Amino acid sequence: MATAMYLEHYLDSIENLPCELQRNFQLMSDLDQRTEDKKKEIDVLASEYIAKVRDLTPEQRVQHLQRIQNAYSKCKEFSDDKVQLAMQTYEMVDKHIRRLDADLARFEADLKEKLEGTEFDSPSGRGIKKSRGQKDKRGSRGRRVSEEDTVKKKKLKGGPVFSDSVLSVHPSDVLDMPVDPNEPTYCLCHQVSYGEMIGCDNPDCPIEWFHFACVDLTTKPKGKWFCPRCTQERKK
Protein backbone atom coordinates (compact mmCIF):
# COMPACT_ATOMS: atom_id res chain seq x y z
CA MET A 1 0.00 0.00 0.00
CA ALA A 2 2.79 2.41 0.98
CA THR A 3 4.75 1.47 -2.13
CA ALA A 4 1.78 2.30 -4.34
CA MET A 5 1.31 5.65 -2.57
CA TYR A 6 4.93 6.75 -3.03
CA LEU A 7 4.97 5.55 -6.62
CA GLU A 8 1.70 7.28 -7.47
CA HIS A 9 2.85 10.59 -5.99
CA TYR A 10 6.18 10.42 -7.81
CA LEU A 11 4.59 9.55 -11.15
CA ASP A 12 2.22 12.48 -10.72
CA SER A 13 5.15 14.81 -10.10
CA ILE A 14 6.95 13.76 -13.31
CA GLU A 15 3.85 13.63 -15.51
CA ASN A 16 4.79 16.84 -17.35
CA LEU A 17 8.56 16.24 -17.33
CA PRO A 18 8.80 14.60 -20.81
CA CYS A 19 6.91 17.49 -22.42
CA GLU A 20 9.07 20.07 -20.65
CA LEU A 21 12.27 18.29 -21.68
CA GLN A 22 11.09 18.00 -25.28
CA ARG A 23 10.26 21.72 -25.34
CA ASN A 24 13.69 22.68 -23.96
CA PHE A 25 15.52 20.38 -26.37
CA GLN A 26 13.55 21.84 -29.27
CA LEU A 27 14.43 25.36 -28.15
CA MET A 28 18.12 24.40 -27.92
CA SER A 29 17.93 22.89 -31.41
CA ASP A 30 16.38 26.11 -32.73
CA LEU A 31 19.13 28.16 -31.10
CA ASP A 32 21.72 25.88 -32.69
CA GLN A 33 20.18 26.43 -36.12
CA ARG A 34 20.01 30.20 -35.66
CA THR A 35 23.66 30.21 -34.60
CA GLU A 36 24.68 28.24 -37.68
CA ASP A 37 22.74 30.64 -39.91
CA LYS A 38 24.51 33.59 -38.33
CA LYS A 39 27.90 31.92 -38.80
CA LYS A 40 27.15 31.53 -42.50
CA GLU A 41 26.11 35.17 -42.63
CA ILE A 42 29.42 36.15 -41.01
CA ASP A 43 31.35 34.12 -43.59
CA VAL A 44 29.52 35.89 -46.42
CA LEU A 45 30.06 39.35 -44.89
CA ALA A 46 33.75 38.61 -44.30
CA SER A 47 34.22 37.42 -47.89
CA GLU A 48 32.47 40.53 -49.25
CA TYR A 49 34.61 42.79 -47.08
CA ILE A 50 37.87 41.15 -48.19
CA ALA A 51 36.85 41.35 -51.86
CA LYS A 52 35.71 45.02 -51.73
CA VAL A 53 37.91 46.50 -49.02
CA ARG A 54 40.10 48.47 -51.47
CA ASP A 55 37.10 50.12 -53.08
CA LEU A 56 35.33 51.04 -49.84
CA THR A 57 35.53 54.41 -48.17
CA PRO A 58 36.55 54.56 -44.49
CA GLU A 59 32.90 55.07 -43.49
CA GLN A 60 31.79 52.06 -45.54
CA ARG A 61 34.53 49.92 -44.03
CA VAL A 62 33.39 50.85 -40.53
CA GLN A 63 29.77 50.06 -41.43
CA HIS A 64 30.71 46.70 -42.93
CA LEU A 65 32.84 45.75 -39.93
CA GLN A 66 30.01 46.83 -37.63
CA ARG A 67 27.63 44.44 -39.42
CA ILE A 68 30.13 41.61 -38.87
CA GLN A 69 30.49 42.59 -35.20
CA ASN A 70 26.70 42.64 -34.74
CA ALA A 71 26.44 39.17 -36.26
CA TYR A 72 29.11 37.88 -33.85
CA SER A 73 27.23 39.46 -30.93
CA LYS A 74 24.05 37.66 -32.02
CA CYS A 75 25.92 34.36 -32.15
CA LYS A 76 27.18 34.89 -28.62
CA GLU A 77 23.69 35.82 -27.43
CA PHE A 78 22.24 32.63 -28.94
CA SER A 79 25.02 30.57 -27.33
CA ASP A 80 24.44 32.17 -23.92
CA ASP A 81 20.71 31.49 -24.17
CA LYS A 82 21.42 27.86 -25.04
CA VAL A 83 23.74 27.47 -22.03
CA GLN A 84 21.10 28.98 -19.73
CA LEU A 85 18.48 26.64 -21.17
CA ALA A 86 20.76 23.64 -20.73
CA MET A 87 21.37 24.53 -17.07
CA GLN A 88 17.63 24.99 -16.47
CA THR A 89 17.01 21.55 -18.02
CA TYR A 90 19.70 20.01 -15.81
CA GLU A 91 18.15 21.60 -12.72
CA MET A 92 14.71 20.35 -13.74
CA VAL A 93 15.88 16.74 -13.97
CA ASP A 94 18.05 17.03 -10.86
CA LYS A 95 15.08 18.27 -8.83
CA HIS A 96 13.12 15.11 -9.68
CA ILE A 97 16.13 12.90 -8.91
CA ARG A 98 16.43 14.48 -5.47
CA ARG A 99 12.71 14.03 -4.94
CA LEU A 100 13.05 10.34 -5.80
CA ASP A 101 16.00 9.94 -3.41
CA ALA A 102 14.01 11.57 -0.62
CA ASP A 103 10.94 9.39 -1.30
CA LEU A 104 13.09 6.27 -1.29
CA ALA A 105 14.65 7.24 2.02
CA ARG A 106 11.23 7.93 3.57
CA PHE A 107 9.85 4.66 2.20
CA GLU A 108 12.79 2.68 3.58
CA ALA A 109 12.36 4.38 6.97
CA ASP A 110 8.62 3.61 7.02
CA LEU A 111 9.27 0.01 6.03
CA LYS A 112 11.87 -0.44 8.75
CA GLU A 113 9.51 1.06 11.34
CA LYS A 114 6.70 -1.29 10.33
CA LEU A 115 9.00 -4.32 10.44
CA GLU A 116 10.18 -3.38 13.92
CA GLY A 117 6.54 -2.92 15.03
CA THR A 118 5.62 -6.35 13.68
CA GLU A 119 8.57 -7.91 15.46
CA PHE A 120 7.57 -6.29 18.76
CA ASP A 121 3.94 -7.43 18.50
CA SER A 122 4.81 -11.08 17.88
CA PRO A 123 5.45 -13.45 20.86
CA SER A 124 9.01 -14.08 19.77
CA GLY A 125 9.48 -10.36 19.22
CA ARG A 126 8.41 -9.54 22.78
CA GLY A 127 10.92 -12.03 24.05
CA ILE A 128 13.63 -10.43 21.96
CA LYS A 129 12.74 -6.96 23.17
CA LYS A 130 12.79 -8.13 26.78
CA SER A 131 16.14 -9.79 26.46
CA ARG A 132 17.53 -6.67 24.86
CA GLY A 133 16.25 -4.61 27.75
CA GLN A 134 17.92 -6.95 30.22
CA LYS A 135 21.22 -6.60 28.41
CA ASP A 136 21.33 -2.81 28.75
CA LYS A 137 24.62 -1.65 30.10
CA ARG A 138 25.72 1.33 32.15
CA GLY A 139 28.05 3.87 30.66
CA SER A 140 31.09 5.25 32.48
CA ARG A 141 29.05 8.26 33.65
CA GLY A 142 25.91 6.34 34.61
CA ARG A 143 24.18 6.74 31.23
CA ARG A 144 22.41 3.70 29.82
CA VAL A 145 24.11 2.26 26.78
CA SER A 146 21.31 0.56 24.88
CA GLU A 147 21.52 -2.06 22.17
CA GLU A 148 20.84 0.69 19.63
CA ASP A 149 23.93 2.60 20.78
CA THR A 150 25.97 -0.58 20.48
CA VAL A 151 24.80 -1.08 16.92
CA LYS A 152 25.72 2.54 16.08
CA LYS A 153 29.22 2.02 17.49
CA LYS A 154 29.61 -1.13 15.44
CA LYS A 155 28.60 0.74 12.34
CA LEU A 156 31.18 3.43 13.01
CA LYS A 157 33.92 0.84 13.47
CA GLY A 158 33.25 -0.65 10.05
CA GLY A 159 31.32 -3.16 8.01
CA PRO A 160 27.73 -1.74 8.10
CA VAL A 161 25.11 -3.72 6.26
CA PHE A 162 24.02 -1.79 3.12
CA SER A 163 20.31 -1.84 3.91
CA ASP A 164 20.94 -0.50 7.44
CA SER A 165 23.07 2.35 6.14
CA VAL A 166 20.38 3.31 3.65
CA LEU A 167 17.62 3.14 6.27
CA SER A 168 19.56 5.37 8.66
CA VAL A 169 19.65 8.23 6.13
CA HIS A 170 17.17 10.99 6.91
CA PRO A 171 15.23 12.45 3.94
CA SER A 172 16.60 15.93 4.61
CA ASP A 173 20.13 14.51 4.43
CA VAL A 174 19.37 13.10 0.99
CA LEU A 175 18.22 16.50 -0.25
CA ASP A 176 21.52 18.04 0.90
CA MET A 177 23.66 15.39 -0.78
CA PRO A 178 25.82 16.59 -3.71
CA VAL A 179 24.64 15.44 -7.11
CA ASP A 180 28.07 14.57 -8.46
CA PRO A 181 31.34 14.98 -6.52
CA ASN A 182 33.24 15.21 -9.83
CA GLU A 183 31.09 18.04 -11.16
CA PRO A 184 33.10 21.26 -11.77
CA THR A 185 32.54 24.28 -9.53
CA TYR A 186 32.05 27.89 -10.58
CA CYS A 187 31.43 31.38 -9.22
CA LEU A 188 32.87 33.19 -6.21
CA CYS A 189 31.14 30.68 -3.93
CA HIS A 190 32.95 27.70 -5.56
CA GLN A 191 29.69 25.75 -5.93
CA VAL A 192 28.30 23.66 -8.80
CA SER A 193 26.10 25.22 -11.45
CA TYR A 194 22.48 25.83 -10.50
CA GLY A 195 19.74 28.31 -11.31
CA GLU A 196 20.50 31.24 -13.60
CA MET A 197 24.15 32.01 -14.29
CA ILE A 198 26.03 34.65 -16.26
CA GLY A 199 29.37 34.44 -18.05
CA CYS A 200 32.11 37.05 -17.66
CA ASP A 201 33.00 38.75 -20.96
CA ASN A 202 36.69 38.71 -20.08
CA PRO A 203 38.09 35.77 -22.13
CA ASP A 204 40.88 35.36 -19.55
CA CYS A 205 38.56 35.24 -16.54
CA PRO A 206 39.67 32.30 -14.34
CA ILE A 207 36.13 31.63 -13.05
CA GLU A 208 34.01 32.39 -16.19
CA TRP A 209 30.53 31.60 -14.79
CA PHE A 210 28.69 33.17 -11.84
CA HIS A 211 25.36 32.66 -10.09
CA PHE A 212 23.03 35.64 -10.37
CA ALA A 213 22.57 35.89 -6.59
CA CYS A 214 26.33 35.83 -5.89
CA VAL A 215 26.93 38.92 -8.08
CA ASP A 216 23.73 40.75 -7.08
CA LEU A 217 21.90 40.23 -10.38
CA THR A 218 18.23 39.48 -10.92
CA THR A 219 18.11 39.79 -14.72
CA LYS A 220 20.63 39.46 -17.52
CA PRO A 221 22.30 42.86 -18.06
CA LYS A 222 22.46 44.42 -21.51
CA GLY A 223 25.80 44.63 -23.27
CA LYS A 224 29.05 43.25 -21.90
CA TRP A 225 29.31 42.20 -18.27
CA PHE A 226 32.47 41.69 -16.22
CA CYS A 227 32.71 39.92 -12.88
CA PRO A 228 33.85 41.82 -9.75
CA ARG A 229 37.40 40.49 -9.99
CA CYS A 230 37.82 41.38 -13.66
CA THR A 231 36.23 44.80 -13.05
CA GLN A 232 38.88 45.53 -10.42
CA GLU A 233 41.65 44.34 -12.74
CA ARG A 234 40.37 46.61 -15.54
CA LYS A 235 40.44 49.62 -13.21
CA LYS A 236 44.13 49.12 -12.41
Side-chain angles (χ1 to χ4, degrees), residues 123-157:
S124 58
R126 284 195 293 269
I128 293 172
K129 291 291 182 180
K130 185 176 180 181
S131 64
R132 285 181 179 176
Q134 292 172 349
K135 290 182 181 178
D136 283 346
K137 302 175 183 177
R138 289 276 179 179
S140 58
R141 297 185 181 180
R143 183 180 66 85
R144 280 193 177 272
V145 181
S146 65
E147 189 73 18
E148 183 181 357
D149 295 330
T150 307
V151 171
K152 287 181 180 178
K153 289 179 181 178
K154 288 180 180 178
K155 287 182 180 180
L156 291 174
K157 290 181 179 178

Short mmCIF file of all heavy atoms in Angstrom, two decimals, residues 123-157:
data_model
loop_
_atom_site.label_atom_id
_atom_site.label_comp_id
_atom_site.label_asym_id
_atom_site.label_seq_id
_atom_site.Cartn_x
_atom_site.Cartn_y
_atom_site.Cartn_z
N PRO A 123 4.95 -12.87 19.60
CA PRO A 123 5.45 -13.45 20.86
C PRO A 123 6.96 -13.53 20.91
O PRO A 123 7.59 -13.20 21.90
CB PRO A 123 4.81 -14.85 20.89
CG PRO A 123 3.59 -14.72 20.01
CD PRO A 123 3.95 -13.74 18.95
N SER A 124 7.56 -13.98 19.79
CA SER A 124 9.01 -14.08 19.77
C SER A 124 9.65 -12.71 19.84
O SER A 124 10.70 -12.52 20.43
CB SER A 124 9.47 -14.82 18.50
OG SER A 124 9.00 -14.13 17.34
N GLY A 125 8.95 -11.72 19.20
CA GLY A 125 9.48 -10.36 19.22
C GLY A 125 9.50 -9.80 20.62
O GLY A 125 10.43 -9.11 21.02
N ARG A 126 8.44 -10.04 21.41
CA ARG A 126 8.41 -9.54 22.78
C ARG A 126 9.54 -10.12 23.61
O ARG A 126 10.14 -9.46 24.44
CB ARG A 126 7.05 -9.88 23.42
CG ARG A 126 5.92 -8.97 22.93
CD ARG A 126 4.72 -9.10 23.84
NE ARG A 126 4.11 -10.43 23.74
CZ ARG A 126 3.15 -10.74 22.90
NH1 ARG A 126 2.70 -9.82 22.05
NH2 ARG A 126 2.62 -11.93 22.87
N GLY A 127 9.81 -11.40 23.35
CA GLY A 127 10.92 -12.03 24.05
C GLY A 127 12.25 -11.39 23.70
O GLY A 127 13.10 -11.17 24.54
N ILE A 128 12.39 -11.06 22.41
CA ILE A 128 13.63 -10.43 21.96
C ILE A 128 13.78 -9.06 22.59
O ILE A 128 14.84 -8.68 23.07
CB ILE A 128 13.65 -10.33 20.42
CG1 ILE A 128 13.73 -11.73 19.81
CG2 ILE A 128 14.80 -9.47 19.94
CD1 ILE A 128 13.57 -11.75 18.30
N LYS A 129 12.68 -8.29 22.59
CA LYS A 129 12.74 -6.96 23.17
C LYS A 129 13.09 -7.01 24.65
O LYS A 129 13.84 -6.21 25.17
CB LYS A 129 11.39 -6.23 22.98
CG LYS A 129 11.07 -5.87 21.53
CD LYS A 129 12.01 -4.79 21.02
CE LYS A 129 11.66 -4.40 19.59
NZ LYS A 129 12.55 -3.35 19.09
N LYS A 130 12.53 -8.00 25.36
CA LYS A 130 12.79 -8.13 26.78
C LYS A 130 14.24 -8.47 27.05
O LYS A 130 14.88 -7.92 27.94
CB LYS A 130 11.87 -9.21 27.38
CG LYS A 130 11.98 -9.33 28.89
CD LYS A 130 10.99 -10.33 29.42
CE LYS A 130 11.09 -10.46 30.93
NZ LYS A 130 10.15 -11.46 31.46
N SER A 131 14.75 -9.40 26.26
CA SER A 131 16.14 -9.79 26.46
C SER A 131 17.07 -8.64 26.16
O SER A 131 18.10 -8.47 26.80
CB SER A 131 16.47 -11.00 25.58
OG SER A 131 16.36 -10.65 24.22
N ARG A 132 16.68 -7.82 25.16
CA ARG A 132 17.53 -6.67 24.86
C ARG A 132 17.52 -5.69 26.02
O ARG A 132 18.53 -5.10 26.37
CB ARG A 132 17.03 -5.96 23.58
CG ARG A 132 17.36 -6.72 22.31
CD ARG A 132 16.86 -5.95 21.10
NE ARG A 132 17.19 -6.64 19.87
CZ ARG A 132 16.80 -6.23 18.67
NH1 ARG A 132 16.04 -5.16 18.57
NH2 ARG A 132 17.14 -6.90 17.59
N GLY A 133 16.33 -5.53 26.62
CA GLY A 133 16.25 -4.61 27.75
C GLY A 133 17.10 -5.08 28.91
O GLY A 133 17.68 -4.30 29.65
N GLN A 134 17.15 -6.41 29.11
CA GLN A 134 17.92 -6.95 30.22
C GLN A 134 19.42 -6.80 30.00
O GLN A 134 20.19 -6.79 30.94
CB GLN A 134 17.58 -8.43 30.41
CG GLN A 134 16.14 -8.65 30.92
CD GLN A 134 15.79 -10.11 30.91
OE1 GLN A 134 16.51 -10.93 30.36
NE2 GLN A 134 14.67 -10.45 31.54
N LYS A 135 19.79 -6.67 28.72
CA LYS A 135 21.22 -6.60 28.41
C LYS A 135 21.74 -5.18 28.34
O LYS A 135 22.83 -4.93 27.90
CB LYS A 135 21.50 -7.30 27.07
CG LYS A 135 21.33 -8.81 27.14
CD LYS A 135 21.67 -9.45 25.81
CE LYS A 135 21.50 -10.97 25.84
NZ LYS A 135 21.79 -11.58 24.55
N ASP A 136 20.87 -4.19 28.73
CA ASP A 136 21.33 -2.81 28.75
C ASP A 136 22.50 -2.67 29.71
O ASP A 136 22.52 -3.28 30.77
CB ASP A 136 20.20 -1.86 29.20
CG ASP A 136 19.21 -1.63 28.07
OD1 ASP A 136 19.56 -1.97 26.95
OD2 ASP A 136 18.10 -1.10 28.35
N LYS A 137 23.42 -1.85 29.30
CA LYS A 137 24.62 -1.65 30.10
C LYS A 137 24.66 -0.23 30.61
O LYS A 137 24.03 0.66 30.10
CB LYS A 137 25.87 -1.92 29.23
CG LYS A 137 25.89 -3.32 28.64
CD LYS A 137 27.07 -3.46 27.70
CE LYS A 137 27.08 -4.82 27.03
NZ LYS A 137 28.17 -4.96 26.08
N ARG A 138 25.51 0.00 31.61
CA ARG A 138 25.72 1.33 32.15
C ARG A 138 26.98 1.93 31.55
O ARG A 138 28.00 1.26 31.43
CB ARG A 138 25.89 1.26 33.68
CG ARG A 138 24.61 0.93 34.41
CD ARG A 138 23.79 2.18 34.63
NE ARG A 138 22.54 1.88 35.32
CZ ARG A 138 21.66 2.79 35.65
NH1 ARG A 138 21.90 4.06 35.35
NH2 ARG A 138 20.55 2.46 36.27
N GLY A 139 26.88 3.18 31.17
CA GLY A 139 28.05 3.87 30.66
C GLY A 139 28.97 4.28 31.79
O GLY A 139 28.66 4.12 32.97
N SER A 140 30.12 4.85 31.48
CA SER A 140 31.09 5.25 32.48
C SER A 140 30.56 6.36 33.37
O SER A 140 31.00 6.52 34.49
CB SER A 140 32.38 5.69 31.80
OG SER A 140 32.11 6.76 30.91
N ARG A 141 29.60 7.16 32.87
CA ARG A 141 29.05 8.26 33.65
C ARG A 141 27.62 7.96 34.10
O ARG A 141 26.84 8.87 34.37
CB ARG A 141 29.08 9.55 32.84
CG ARG A 141 30.49 9.99 32.49
CD ARG A 141 30.50 11.33 31.79
NE ARG A 141 31.85 11.73 31.43
CZ ARG A 141 32.15 12.86 30.80
NH1 ARG A 141 31.18 13.70 30.47
NH2 ARG A 141 33.39 13.15 30.51
N GLY A 142 27.23 6.69 34.13
CA GLY A 142 25.91 6.34 34.61
C GLY A 142 24.84 6.35 33.54
O GLY A 142 23.69 6.08 33.81
N ARG A 143 25.17 6.71 32.30
CA ARG A 143 24.18 6.74 31.23
C ARG A 143 23.96 5.34 30.70
O ARG A 143 24.91 4.58 30.55
CB ARG A 143 24.67 7.65 30.09
CG ARG A 143 23.65 7.81 28.97
CD ARG A 143 24.20 8.71 27.87
NE ARG A 143 25.35 8.10 27.19
CZ ARG A 143 25.25 7.25 26.17
NH1 ARG A 143 24.05 6.87 25.74
NH2 ARG A 143 26.32 6.76 25.59
N ARG A 144 22.70 5.03 30.37
CA ARG A 144 22.41 3.70 29.82
C ARG A 144 22.93 3.61 28.39
O ARG A 144 22.66 4.46 27.57
CB ARG A 144 20.90 3.44 29.84
CG ARG A 144 20.41 3.02 31.22
CD ARG A 144 19.01 2.47 31.12
NE ARG A 144 18.55 2.00 32.42
CZ ARG A 144 18.77 0.79 32.87
NH1 ARG A 144 19.45 -0.07 32.15
NH2 ARG A 144 18.31 0.43 34.06
N VAL A 145 23.65 2.54 28.14
CA VAL A 145 24.11 2.26 26.78
C VAL A 145 23.23 1.17 26.23
O VAL A 145 23.36 0.00 26.59
CB VAL A 145 25.59 1.82 26.76
CG1 VAL A 145 26.04 1.58 25.33
CG2 VAL A 145 26.45 2.88 27.45
N SER A 146 22.29 1.53 25.38
CA SER A 146 21.31 0.56 24.88
C SER A 146 21.89 -0.25 23.73
O SER A 146 22.98 0.02 23.23
CB SER A 146 20.04 1.30 24.41
OG SER A 146 20.35 2.12 23.31
N GLU A 147 21.11 -1.24 23.32
CA GLU A 147 21.52 -2.06 22.17
C GLU A 147 21.66 -1.20 20.92
O GLU A 147 22.52 -1.44 20.08
CB GLU A 147 20.46 -3.15 21.95
CG GLU A 147 20.87 -4.20 20.91
CD GLU A 147 21.93 -5.12 21.44
OE1 GLU A 147 22.11 -5.20 22.67
OE2 GLU A 147 22.60 -5.78 20.62
N GLU A 148 20.78 -0.18 20.81
CA GLU A 148 20.84 0.69 19.63
C GLU A 148 22.16 1.43 19.57
O GLU A 148 22.76 1.59 18.51
CB GLU A 148 19.68 1.69 19.68
CG GLU A 148 19.60 2.59 18.45
CD GLU A 148 18.45 3.58 18.56
OE1 GLU A 148 17.70 3.50 19.56
OE2 GLU A 148 18.32 4.41 17.64
N ASP A 149 22.64 1.92 20.75
CA ASP A 149 23.93 2.60 20.78
C ASP A 149 25.06 1.67 20.36
O ASP A 149 26.00 2.06 19.69
CB ASP A 149 24.21 3.14 22.19
CG ASP A 149 23.23 4.22 22.58
OD1 ASP A 149 22.76 4.91 21.66
OD2 ASP A 149 22.93 4.35 23.78
N THR A 150 24.95 0.40 20.83
CA THR A 150 25.97 -0.58 20.48
C THR A 150 26.03 -0.80 18.98
O THR A 150 27.11 -0.90 18.39
CB THR A 150 25.68 -1.92 21.19
OG1 THR A 150 25.52 -1.68 22.58
CG2 THR A 150 26.80 -2.91 20.96
N VAL A 151 24.84 -0.88 18.37
CA VAL A 151 24.80 -1.08 16.92
C VAL A 151 25.43 0.10 16.22
O VAL A 151 26.18 -0.05 15.25
CB VAL A 151 23.32 -1.26 16.46
CG1 VAL A 151 23.23 -1.24 14.95
CG2 VAL A 151 22.76 -2.55 17.02
N LYS A 152 25.14 1.35 16.72
CA LYS A 152 25.72 2.54 16.08
C LYS A 152 27.23 2.51 16.16
O LYS A 152 27.94 2.86 15.23
CB LYS A 152 25.18 3.79 16.76
CG LYS A 152 23.73 4.08 16.41
CD LYS A 152 23.26 5.36 17.09
CE LYS A 152 21.82 5.66 16.75
NZ LYS A 152 21.32 6.87 17.43
N LYS A 153 27.77 2.07 17.34
CA LYS A 153 29.22 2.02 17.49
C LYS A 153 29.82 1.01 16.53
O LYS A 153 30.87 1.22 15.94
CB LYS A 153 29.59 1.66 18.93
CG LYS A 153 29.29 2.79 19.91
CD LYS A 153 29.63 2.39 21.32
CE LYS A 153 29.31 3.51 22.31
NZ LYS A 153 29.60 3.11 23.70
N LYS A 154 29.12 -0.11 16.36
CA LYS A 154 29.61 -1.13 15.44
C LYS A 154 29.65 -0.59 14.02
O LYS A 154 30.54 -0.87 13.24
CB LYS A 154 28.74 -2.37 15.51
CG LYS A 154 28.93 -3.17 16.79
CD LYS A 154 28.04 -4.40 16.79
CE LYS A 154 28.22 -5.22 18.07
NZ LYS A 154 27.32 -6.39 18.08
N LYS A 155 28.64 0.19 13.70
CA LYS A 155 28.60 0.74 12.34
C LYS A 155 29.75 1.70 12.12
O LYS A 155 30.32 1.77 11.05
CB LYS A 155 27.26 1.47 12.12
CG LYS A 155 26.08 0.54 11.97
CD LYS A 155 24.81 1.34 11.69
CE LYS A 155 23.62 0.42 11.52
NZ LYS A 155 22.37 1.17 11.26
N LEU A 156 30.09 2.49 13.16
CA LEU A 156 31.18 3.43 13.01
C LEU A 156 32.51 2.72 12.86
O LEU A 156 33.41 3.20 12.19
CB LEU A 156 31.24 4.37 14.22
CG LEU A 156 30.08 5.37 14.35
CD1 LEU A 156 30.20 6.13 15.67
CD2 LEU A 156 30.11 6.36 13.18
N LYS A 157 32.65 1.57 13.52
CA LYS A 157 33.92 0.84 13.47
C LYS A 157 34.12 0.12 12.16
O LYS A 157 35.21 -0.30 11.85
CB LYS A 157 33.99 -0.16 14.62
CG LYS A 157 34.12 0.54 15.98
CD LYS A 157 34.21 -0.46 17.11
CE LYS A 157 34.38 0.22 18.46
NZ LYS A 157 34.44 -0.73 19.57
#
